[in-house]
Amino acid sequence: MEINMKKISTVFLLLFIFLTLPVGMSAVSETDSGIFYSIENGEVTVEGFNYAGNIMDIPETIEELPVRYIADQACRGNEAIIELRIPSSVVSVGEFAFAECKNLLKVEFSGGTEDIGYSAFRDSASLRTVTLSDTLVSIGDYAFYGCIMLGKLSIPASVSNIGIDAFVGCSELRLDVENNEIAAEYAERYSIPTDFSSSWTHTVLLLFIVTALLAGVFFTVDKLLLKKRKYEK
């Protein structure tokens, strides 16, 4: 009986892969909307996107399990994604997860995400709009490095760490740091323009200052006119 060594090698390779998979982890599968995912310990990790469409709308659950993580380099260099929606179930975005996605325009966090990893959106040069989660704690080093079209970005009060060069190269960026002193200090250190124009407190303060200045001018003019009248008499 002739032994087929190629078949035996394949069987042993498959057996080795199966035995070395972490306990509770499944192979990578795909949803109907083109999202690749894996399951480990009852939690889902997004592993990629198959270019099925231009909007990557990550669901909160897959196979009735919570989607918790986006893997390192999950969609690095993906040219199809124009808009990305991250649900409140996701707690962490991995390193380089959406780096170099040259057509990505908009990212929306629904709330729940605590960590944006190292270089997560690095060099996504078309990215213009990002809505951050009000649960966000950390923005990793180089997270938005080279996002040259990124405009106004509001930093939530929850953020306690902004990494090294997180926004270097973001020439159009204006940070709204009204609710975050750490972000305000960061903006000053890196000479990033800040924008308080949407702040009601700032608007009221500005009106108060203008009113005070005008009152001072009118008071001075009135005093001068009064002195002039006395002198003429």
Side-chain angles (χ1 to χ4, degrees), residues 128 144 147-155 166-176 186 191-195:
R128 296 173 180 270
F144 294 94
C147 294
I148 57 175
M149 299 301 293
L150 184 59
K152 182 179 176 181
L153 180 65
S154 180
I155 304 297
F167 299 103
V168 166
C170 300
S171 54
E172 300 297 317
L173 180 64
R174 296 184 68 86
L175 288 179
D176 186 340
Y186 186 93
S191 300
I192 301 173
T194 56
D195 185 359

Coordinates of all heavy atoms in Angstrom, one line a residue, residues 128 144 147-155 166-176 186 191-195:
R128 N -11.8 63.2 7.5 CA -12.2 64.5 7.8 C -12.9 64.7 9.1 O -12.8 65.6 9.9 CB -13.1 65.1 6.7 CG -12.4 65.2 5.4 CD -13.4 65.6 4.3 NE -12.7 65.7 3.0 CZ -12.2 66.8 2.5 NH1 -12.3 67.9 3.2 NH2 -11.6 66.9 1.3
F144 N -3.6 59.3 15.1 CA -4.1 60.1 14.0 C -3.0 60.8 13.2 O -3.2 61.7 12.4 CB -5.2 61.1 14.4 CG -6.4 60.5 15.0 CD1 -6.5 60.3 16.3 CD2 -7.4 60.0 14.1 CE1 -7.7 59.7 16.9 CE2 -8.6 59.4 14.7 CZ -8.7 59.3 16.0
C147 N -3.1 62.4 9.4 CA -4.5 62.6 8.9 C -4.6 64.0 8.5 O -5.2 64.9 9.3 CB -5.5 62.2 10.0 SG -5.5 60.4 10.3
I148 N -4.1 64.4 7.4 CA -3.9 65.8 7.0 C -5.2 66.6 6.8 O -5.2 67.8 6.8 CB -3.1 65.9 5.7 CG1 -3.7 65.1 4.6 CG2 -1.7 65.4 6.0 CD1 -2.9 65.3 3.3
M149 N -6.4 65.9 6.6 CA -7.6 66.5 6.3 C -8.5 66.6 7.6 O -9.6 67.1 7.5 CB -8.4 65.8 5.2 CG -7.6 65.9 3.9 SD -7.3 67.5 3.3 CE -8.9 68.1 3.0
L150 N -8.1 66.0 8.7 CA -8.9 66.0 9.9 C -9.2 67.4 10.4 O -8.3 68.2 10.6 CB -8.2 65.2 11.0 CG -9.0 64.9 12.3 CD1 -10.3 64.2 12.0 CD2 -8.1 64.1 13.2
G151 N -10.5 67.7 10.5 CA -10.9 69.0 11.0 C -11.1 69.1 12.5 O -10.3 68.6 13.2
K152 N -12.2 69.8 12.9 CA -12.4 70.0 14.3 C -12.7 68.6 15.0 O -13.4 67.8 14.5 CB -13.7 70.9 14.5 CG -14.0 71.2 15.9 CD -15.2 72.1 16.0 CE -15.5 72.3 17.5 NZ -16.7 73.2 17.6
L153 N -12.1 68.5 16.1 CA -12.2 67.3 16.9 C -12.5 67.6 18.4 O -11.7 68.3 19.0 CB -11.0 66.4 16.8 CG -11.0 65.1 17.5 CD1 -12.1 64.1 17.0 CD2 -9.6 64.4 17.4
S154 N -13.5 67.1 18.9 CA -13.8 67.4 20.4 C -13.3 66.3 21.2 O -13.5 65.1 21.0 CB -15.4 67.5 20.5 OG -15.7 67.7 21.9
I155 N -12.4 66.6 22.2 CA -11.8 65.7 23.1 C -12.7 65.5 24.3 O -12.9 66.5 25.1 CB -10.4 66.1 23.5 CG1 -9.5 66.3 22.3 CG2 -9.8 65.0 24.4 CD1 -9.3 65.1 21.5
A166 N 0.3 62.1 18.5 CA -1.0 61.5 18.1 C -1.6 62.2 17.0 O -2.4 61.6 16.2 CB -2.0 61.5 19.3
F167 N -1.3 63.6 16.9 CA -2.0 64.4 15.8 C -1.0 65.1 15.0 O -1.3 66.1 14.3 CB -2.9 65.4 16.5 CG -4.0 64.8 17.3 CD1 -4.0 64.8 18.7 CD2 -5.1 64.2 16.6 CE1 -5.0 64.2 19.4 CE2 -6.2 63.6 17.3 CZ -6.1 63.6 18.7
V168 N 0.3 64.6 14.9 CA 1.3 65.3 14.1 C 0.9 65.1 12.6 O 0.5 64.1 12.2 CB 2.7 64.7 14.4 CG1 3.7 65.1 13.3 CG2 3.2 65.1 15.7
G169 N 1.1 66.2 11.9 CA 0.7 66.2 10.5 C -0.7 66.6 10.2 O -1.1 66.6 9.0
C170 N -1.5 66.8 11.2 CA -2.9 67.1 11.0 C -3.1 68.6 10.9 O -3.4 69.3 11.8 CB -3.8 66.6 12.2 SG -3.7 64.8 12.5
S171 N -2.7 69.1 9.7 CA -2.6 70.5 9.5 C -3.9 71.3 9.5 O -3.9 72.5 9.8 CB -1.9 70.8 8.1 OG -2.6 70.1 7.1
E172 N -5.0 70.6 9.3 CA -6.3 71.3 9.4 C -7.0 71.2 10.7 O -8.1 71.7 10.9 CB -7.2 70.7 8.3 CG -6.7 70.8 6.9 CD -6.6 72.2 6.4 OE1 -7.6 73.0 6.7 OE2 -5.6 72.6 5.8
L173 N -6.4 70.5 11.7 CA -7.0 70.2 12.9 C -7.2 71.4 13.9 O -6.3 72.2 14.0 CB -6.2 69.1 13.7 CG -6.7 68.6 15.0 CD1 -8.0 67.9 14.9 CD2 -5.6 67.7 15.7
R174 N -8.4 71.4 14.5 CA -8.7 72.3 15.6 C -9.3 71.5 16.7 O -10.3 70.8 16.4 CB -9.7 73.4 15.1 CG -9.1 74.4 14.1 CD -10.1 75.5 13.8 NE -10.3 76.4 14.9 CZ -9.5 77.4 15.1 NH1 -8.5 77.7 14.3 NH2 -9.7 78.2 16.2
L175 N -8.7 71.5 17.9 CA -9.2 70.7 19.0 C -10.2 71.5 19.8 O -9.9 72.6 20.2 CB -8.0 70.2 19.8 CG -7.1 69.1 19.2 CD1 -6.0 68.8 20.2 CD2 -7.9 67.9 18.9
D176 N -11.3 70.9 20.1 CA -12.2 71.5 21.1 C -11.8 70.8 22.5 O -12.1 69.7 22.7 CB -13.7 71.2 20.8 CG -14.6 71.9 21.7 OD1 -14.2 72.3 22.8 OD2 -15.8 72.0 21.3
Y186 N -2.0 69.5 26.0 CA -1.5 68.8 24.9 C -1.5 69.7 23.7 O -0.5 69.8 22.9 CB -2.3 67.6 24.6 CG -1.7 66.7 23.6 CD1 -0.8 65.6 23.9 CD2 -2.0 66.9 22.2 CE1 -0.3 64.8 22.9 CE2 -1.5 66.1 21.2 CZ -0.6 65.1 21.6 OH -0.1 64.3 20.6
S191 N 1.3 73.0 19.8 CA 0.9 74.2 19.0 C -0.3 73.8 18.0 O -0.3 74.2 16.9 CB 2.1 74.7 18.1 OG 3.1 75.1 19.0
I192 N -1.3 73.1 18.6 CA -2.5 72.8 17.8 C -3.5 73.8 18.2 O -3.8 74.1 19.3 CB -3.0 71.4 18.2 CG1 -1.9 70.3 17.9 CG2 -4.3 71.0 17.5 CD1 -2.3 68.9 18.5
P193 N -4.1 74.4 17.1 CA -5.2 75.4 17.4 C -6.3 74.8 18.2 O -6.7 73.6 17.9 CB -5.6 75.9 16.0 CG -4.5 75.5 15.1 CD -3.9 74.3 15.7
T194 N -6.9 75.6 19.1 CA -8.1 75.1 19.8 C -9.3 75.9 19.4 O -9.2 77.1 19.0 CB -7.9 75.2 21.3 OG1 -7.6 76.6 21.6 CG2 -6.8 74.3 21.8
D195 N -10.5 75.3 19.5 CA -11.7 75.9 19.1 C -12.8 75.9 20.2 O -13.2 74.8 20.6 CB -12.2 75.2 17.8 CG -13.4 75.9 17.2 OD1 -13.9 76.9 17.8 OD2 -13.9 75.4 16.2

